[in-house]
Protein backbone atom coordinates (compact mmCIF):
# COMPACT_ATOMS: atom_id res chain seq x y z
CA UNK A 1 0.00 0.00 0.00
CA UNK A 2 1.41 3.39 -0.99
CA UNK A 3 1.61 6.33 1.42
CA UNK A 4 -1.15 8.20 -0.42
CA UNK A 5 -3.41 5.17 -0.19
CA UNK A 6 -2.70 4.81 3.53
CA UNK A 7 -3.53 8.44 4.23
CA UNK A 8 -6.67 8.20 2.10
CA UNK A 9 -7.84 5.19 4.08
CA UNK A 10 -7.00 6.88 7.38
CA UNK A 11 -8.89 10.02 6.34
CA UNK A 12 -11.94 7.90 5.54
CA UNK A 13 -11.71 6.23 8.95
CA UNK A 14 -11.47 9.63 10.67
CA UNK A 15 -14.50 10.89 8.75
CA UNK A 16 -16.43 7.79 9.85
CA UNK A 17 -15.34 8.38 13.46
CA UNK A 18 -16.72 11.94 13.37
CA UNK A 19 -19.85 10.72 11.62
CA UNK A 20 -21.36 14.12 10.80
CA UNK A 21 -23.09 15.08 7.53
CA UNK A 22 -21.48 18.54 7.45
CA UNK A 23 -17.97 17.10 7.36
CA UNK A 24 -17.02 17.21 3.69
CA UNK A 25 -13.34 16.33 3.81
CA UNK A 26 -10.54 15.15 6.12
CA UNK A 27 -6.94 16.13 5.36
CA UNK A 28 -4.06 14.48 7.21
CA UNK A 29 -0.47 15.69 7.07
CA UNK A 30 2.78 15.17 8.93
CA UNK A 31 4.27 17.77 11.25
CA UNK A 32 7.88 18.80 10.86
CA UNK A 33 8.19 20.26 14.38
CA UNK A 34 9.03 17.32 16.68
CA UNK A 35 7.98 19.36 19.74
CA UNK A 36 4.33 19.47 18.64
CA UNK A 37 2.18 16.50 19.61
CA UNK A 38 -0.51 17.10 17.01
CA UNK A 39 -2.70 19.81 15.52
CA UNK A 40 -6.38 19.78 14.67
CA UNK A 41 -8.69 22.43 13.28
CA UNK A 42 -11.81 22.81 11.17
CA UNK A 43 -11.36 24.99 8.09
CA UNK A 44 -14.17 26.54 6.06
CA UNK A 45 -16.57 25.06 8.64
CA UNK A 46 -16.58 21.78 6.69
CA UNK A 47 -12.98 20.46 6.41
CA UNK A 48 -11.10 18.71 9.23
CA UNK A 49 -7.34 19.26 9.02
CA UNK A 50 -5.17 17.00 11.18
CA UNK A 51 -1.41 17.24 11.61
CA UNK A 52 0.50 14.43 13.32
CA UNK A 53 4.21 13.70 13.89
CA UNK A 54 5.94 10.73 12.25
CA UNK A 55 5.87 8.72 15.46
CA UNK A 56 2.04 8.61 15.50
CA UNK A 57 0.50 5.36 14.33
CA UNK A 58 -2.73 5.31 12.36
CA UNK A 59 -4.56 3.98 15.40
CA UNK A 60 -3.25 6.82 17.58
CA UNK A 61 -4.40 9.36 15.01
CA UNK A 62 -7.81 7.76 14.80
CA UNK A 63 -8.17 7.70 18.60
CA UNK A 64 -7.17 11.35 18.76
CA UNK A 65 -9.99 12.26 16.36
CA UNK A 66 -12.45 10.18 18.39
CA UNK A 67 -11.34 11.90 21.59
CA UNK A 68 -11.88 15.38 20.11
CA UNK A 69 -15.05 14.58 18.18
CA UNK A 70 -17.12 17.11 20.14
CA UNK A 71 -14.63 19.86 19.30
CA UNK A 72 -14.95 19.01 15.60
CA UNK A 73 -18.74 18.74 15.58
CA UNK A 74 -19.15 22.07 17.37
CA UNK A 75 -17.24 23.78 14.56
CA UNK A 76 -18.98 22.17 11.62
CA UNK A 77 -21.59 24.16 9.72
CA UNK A 78 -23.83 23.24 6.75
CA UNK A 79 -21.84 25.53 4.46
CA UNK A 80 -18.76 27.71 4.70
CA UNK A 81 -19.37 31.27 5.90
CA UNK A 82 -16.21 32.48 4.17
CA UNK A 83 -17.06 33.34 0.55
CA UNK A 84 -15.03 32.12 -2.37
CA UNK A 85 -14.72 35.68 -3.75
CA UNK A 86 -16.02 34.60 -7.12
CA UNK A 87 -18.70 36.15 -9.31
CA UNK A 88 -22.03 36.57 -7.52
CA UNK A 89 -20.66 36.35 -3.97
CA UNK A 90 -21.87 38.86 -1.38
CA UNK A 91 -18.87 40.05 0.61
CA UNK A 92 -17.91 42.71 3.15
CA UNK A 93 -15.01 45.12 3.12
CA UNK A 94 -14.42 47.67 5.90
CA UNK A 95 -17.95 47.09 7.18
CA UNK A 96 -19.69 47.72 3.84
CA UNK A 97 -21.44 45.12 1.71
CA UNK A 98 -20.52 44.44 -1.91
CA UNK A 99 -21.31 41.95 -4.63
CA UNK A 100 -18.58 40.47 -6.79
CA UNK A 101 -19.31 41.04 -10.48
CA UNK A 102 -17.30 40.02 -13.50
CA UNK A 103 -16.79 41.79 -16.80
CA UNK A 104 -14.67 39.76 -19.18
CA UNK A 105 -11.51 38.75 -17.33
CA UNK A 106 -11.79 41.46 -14.68
CA UNK A 107 -13.74 41.65 -11.42
CA UNK A 108 -15.29 44.51 -9.48
CA UNK A 109 -17.01 45.03 -6.13
CA UNK A 110 -20.37 46.75 -6.50
CA UNK A 111 -22.11 48.38 -3.53
CA UNK A 112 -22.36 52.02 -2.50
CA UNK A 113 -19.58 52.48 -5.01
CA UNK A 114 -17.89 50.36 -7.65
CA UNK A 115 -14.37 49.17 -6.89
CA UNK A 116 -12.33 47.64 -9.70
CA UNK A 117 -10.32 44.59 -8.60
CA UNK A 118 -8.51 43.47 -11.73
CA UNK A 119 -8.17 39.77 -12.51
CA UNK A 120 -7.83 38.44 -8.94
CA UNK A 121 -10.26 39.52 -6.21
CA UNK A 122 -8.37 37.82 -3.38
CA UNK A 123 -5.05 39.43 -4.31
CA UNK A 124 -6.73 42.82 -4.58
CA UNK A 125 -8.33 42.47 -1.14
CA UNK A 126 -5.12 41.17 0.38
CA UNK A 127 -3.22 44.21 -0.91
CA UNK A 128 -5.95 46.61 0.29
CA UNK A 129 -5.98 45.10 3.79
CA UNK A 130 -2.21 45.14 3.99
CA UNK A 131 -2.17 48.84 3.04
CA UNK A 132 -5.24 50.22 4.82
CA UNK A 133 -6.37 47.58 7.32
CA UNK A 134 -4.61 48.86 10.43
CA UNK A 135 -5.71 52.44 9.78
CA UNK A 136 -9.33 51.36 9.39
CA UNK A 137 -9.29 49.25 12.55
CA UNK A 138 -7.65 52.05 14.53
CA UNK A 139 -10.24 54.60 13.39
CA UNK A 140 -13.11 52.20 13.99
CA UNK A 141 -11.87 51.36 17.49
CA UNK A 142 -11.54 55.06 18.29
CA UNK A 143 -15.15 55.72 17.29
CA UNK A 144 -16.47 52.77 19.34
CA UNK A 145 -14.33 53.73 22.36
CA UNK A 146 -16.30 56.97 22.54
CA UNK A 147 -19.54 54.98 22.56
CA UNK A 148 -18.23 52.67 25.30
CA UNK A 149 -16.92 55.63 27.33
CA UNK A 150 -13.39 54.26 27.61
CA UNK A 151 -10.06 55.70 26.62
CA UNK A 152 -9.11 54.52 23.16
CA UNK A 153 -6.38 51.88 23.38
CA UNK A 154 -3.58 51.33 20.91
CA UNK A 155 -4.32 48.97 18.03
CA UNK A 156 -1.97 46.38 16.57
CA UNK A 157 -2.23 43.50 14.13
CA UNK A 158 -1.83 39.91 15.23
CA UNK A 159 -0.77 36.81 13.30
CA UNK A 160 -2.78 34.50 15.57
CA UNK A 161 -4.78 31.97 13.61
CA UNK A 162 -7.80 31.35 15.78
CA UNK A 163 -9.12 34.49 17.51
CA UNK A 164 -10.49 37.70 16.01
CA UNK A 165 -9.30 40.10 18.67
CA UNK A 166 -7.53 40.25 22.02
CA UNK A 167 -7.24 43.05 24.60
CA UNK A 168 -4.04 43.11 26.63
CA UNK A 169 -2.49 45.42 29.17
CA UNK A 170 0.97 46.50 28.04
CA UNK A 171 3.53 48.74 29.76
CA UNK A 172 2.25 51.74 27.83
CA UNK A 173 -1.42 50.97 28.46
CA UNK A 174 -4.08 48.78 26.93
CA UNK A 175 -3.71 47.44 23.41
CA UNK A 176 -6.15 45.57 21.18
CA UNK A 177 -4.70 43.05 18.76
CA UNK A 178 -6.86 42.29 15.73
CA UNK A 179 -6.62 39.73 13.01
CA UNK A 180 -6.47 41.57 9.70
CA UNK A 181 -9.47 39.56 8.51
CA UNK A 182 -11.69 41.53 10.89
CA UNK A 183 -11.88 44.06 8.05
CA UNK A 184 -13.87 41.44 6.09
CA UNK A 185 -16.56 40.92 8.73
CA UNK A 186 -20.08 42.33 8.41
CA UNK A 187 -20.30 45.67 10.21
CA UNK A 188 -22.62 44.22 12.84
CA UNK A 189 -20.07 41.58 13.82
CA UNK A 190 -17.15 43.99 13.63
CA UNK A 191 -19.04 46.31 16.00
CA UNK A 192 -19.64 43.48 18.45
CA UNK A 193 -16.01 42.36 18.27
CA UNK A 194 -14.75 45.88 18.96
CA UNK A 195 -17.17 46.52 21.81
CA UNK A 196 -16.28 43.14 23.31
CA UNK A 197 -12.58 43.97 23.40
CA UNK A 198 -13.13 47.54 24.63
CA UNK A 199 -15.21 46.29 27.54
CA UNK A 200 -12.22 44.21 28.63
CA UNK A 201 -10.46 47.46 29.51
CA UNK A 202 -12.70 47.74 32.57
CA UNK A 203 -13.44 44.05 33.10
CA UNK A 204 -10.57 41.60 32.61
CA UNK A 205 -12.69 38.45 32.52
CA UNK A 206 -16.02 37.22 31.15
CA UNK A 207 -17.97 37.68 34.36
CA UNK A 208 -21.44 39.12 34.81
CA UNK A 209 -20.15 42.70 35.05
CA UNK A 210 -18.36 42.32 31.72
CA UNK A 211 -21.43 41.04 29.86
CA UNK A 212 -23.57 43.74 31.46
CA UNK A 213 -21.22 46.38 30.05
CA UNK A 214 -21.45 44.78 26.60
CA UNK A 215 -25.25 44.66 26.84
CA UNK A 216 -25.46 48.38 27.66
CA UNK A 217 -23.91 49.15 24.26
CA UNK A 218 -25.30 46.21 22.29
CA UNK A 219 -28.57 44.88 23.73
CA UNK A 220 -28.66 42.10 21.11
CA UNK A 221 -25.04 41.06 21.61
CA UNK A 222 -25.91 37.38 22.19
CA UNK A 223 -27.06 36.89 18.61
CA UNK A 224 -23.98 38.70 17.28
CA UNK A 225 -21.77 36.52 19.47
CA UNK A 226 -23.37 33.41 18.02
CA UNK A 227 -23.03 34.68 14.44
CA UNK A 228 -19.38 35.55 14.96
CA UNK A 229 -18.83 31.94 16.03
CA UNK A 230 -19.69 30.89 12.47
CA UNK A 231 -16.76 32.90 11.16
CA UNK A 232 -13.44 31.20 11.87
CA UNK A 233 -10.37 33.42 11.59
CA UNK A 234 -8.23 30.52 10.40
CA UNK A 235 -10.59 30.01 7.44
CA UNK A 236 -9.49 33.37 6.07
CA UNK A 237 -5.84 32.43 6.62
CA UNK A 238 -6.39 29.27 4.57
CA UNK A 239 -8.25 31.12 1.85
CA UNK A 240 -5.83 34.02 1.39
CA UNK A 241 -2.63 32.20 2.35
CA UNK A 242 -1.07 35.42 3.57
CA UNK A 243 -0.09 36.40 7.10
CA UNK A 244 0.88 39.60 8.89
Amino acid sequence: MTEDMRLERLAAQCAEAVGHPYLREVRIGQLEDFRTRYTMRVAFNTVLIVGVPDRFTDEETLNMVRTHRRYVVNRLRPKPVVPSYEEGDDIYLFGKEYKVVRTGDNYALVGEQRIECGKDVKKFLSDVLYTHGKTFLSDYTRSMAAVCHVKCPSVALSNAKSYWGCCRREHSGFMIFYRMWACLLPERLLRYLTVHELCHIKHHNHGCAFWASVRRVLPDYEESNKLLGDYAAEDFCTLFNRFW
Side-chain angles (χ1 to χ4, degrees), residues 150-233:
V150 297
K151 182 180 178 181
C152 184
S154 301
V155 170
L157 302 181
S158 169
N159 62 357
K161 297 180 181 179
S162 57
Y163 63 75
W164 285 107
C166 178
C167 182
R168 300 176 187 170
R169 189 184 187 107
E170 305 290 335
H171 293 297
S172 57
F174 284 96
M175 179 172 288
I176 294 180
F177 295 85
Y178 289 101
R179 281 298 295 158
M180 182 67 76
W181 317 123
C183 297
L184 300 178
L185 288 172
E187 200 277 334
R188 175 184 181 182
L189 302 187
L190 176 60
R191 183 169 66 252
Y192 165 70
L193 169 66
T194 305
V195 170
H196 183 113
E197 299 306 331
L198 287 170
C199 287
H200 275 310
I201 293 177
K202 292 183 177 179
H203 308 284
H204 309 317
N205 53 41
H206 290 100
C208 294
F210 167 80
W211 290 115
S213 65
V214 175
R215 185 180 293 107
R216 279 193 290 270
V217 182
L218 301 174
D220 60 345
Y221 80 89
E222 291 179 337
E223 184 176 357
S224 297
N225 183 35
K226 181 179 179 181
L227 290 173
L228 185 60
D230 288 342
Y231 284 77

Side-chain angles (χ1 to χ4, degrees), residues 65-80:
V65 172
R66 289 176 178 142
T67 299
H68 297 286
R69 180 181 181 276
R70 178 175 293 183
Y71 163 86
V72 176
V73 170
N74 286 342
R75 284 158 177 77
L76 293 174
R77 298 291 185 273
K79 63 179 180 179

